[in-house]
Amino acid sequence: MTTRNGANMYTILYMKADYEPWWKFEGWEVFIQTIETFETKEQFEKALQETLNSFRPVYEHEASKEGKYWAFWSEEESFYCEACDDDAQVYHGIIAVATTELNGILPIK
């Protein structure tokens, strides 16, 4: 459930791309796998911890930035990138922000 203009709402995005989530390169939105929105900060923080704890045992590497971006990866999960003529790493990214930070970027009401 959402409130008008996403006021006091929180969102957790999961994206899968060949770069960490803090880069948000042009068109990054197409790599979003799931979007979860929460009405209270308590619900949001609990869901964020559950999400992070579910990724940690699966992926051997983790990095974070600014307390709102997390990247998880394993060396074995890569693909051949024809444009760069090399293997590219697959990153599982979590973005956890106040919904208002996504206004105008994503179709969250």
Side-chain angles (χ1 to χ4, degrees), residues 14-17 19 25-34 105-106:
Y14 162 53
M15 63 181 285
K16 186 175 173 182
Y19 52 86
F25 293 122
E26 184 176 337
W28 69 274
E29 301 90 346
V30 302
F31 297 106
I32 294 172
Q33 305 294 304
T34 62
I105 298 174
L106 298 175

Side-chain angles (χ1 to χ4, degrees), residues 2 24-26 31 51 55 96:
T2 58
K24 292 196 283 188
F25 293 122
E26 184 176 337
F31 297 106
T51 300
F55 278 72

Side-chain angles (χ1 to χ4, degrees), residues 16-100:
K16 186 175 173 182
D18 60 344
Y19 52 86
E20 296 93 337
W22 47 83
W23 292 111
K24 292 196 283 188
F25 293 122
E26 184 176 337
W28 69 274
E29 301 90 346
V30 302
F31 297 106
I32 294 172
Q33 305 294 304
T34 62
I35 301 173
E36 295 180 276
T37 303
F38 304 90
E39 289 188 11
T40 68
K41 190 168 188 173
E42 292 78 21
Q43 292 171 331
F44 165 74
E45 289 175 350
K46 182 179 183 218
L48 175 59
Q49 287 311 308
E50 289 172 356
T51 300
L52 296 175
N53 288 338
S54 72
F55 278 72
R56 287 179 173 136
V58 176
Y59 303 102
E60 58 194 74
H61 302 287
E62 176 182 348
S64 64
K65 277 197 174 196
E66 301 174 26
K68 61 183 176 180
Y69 301 105
W70 287 264
F72 296 89
W73 69 98
S74 295
E75 299 296 327
E76 306 82 39
E77 194 173 11
S78 62
F79 65 96
Y80 183 73
C81 170
E82 289 188 33
C84 43
D85 196 28
D86 200 0
D87 286 340
Q89 183 64 56
V90 173
Y91 294 94
H92 299 269
I94 303 296
I95 302 174
V97 295
T99 303
T100 53

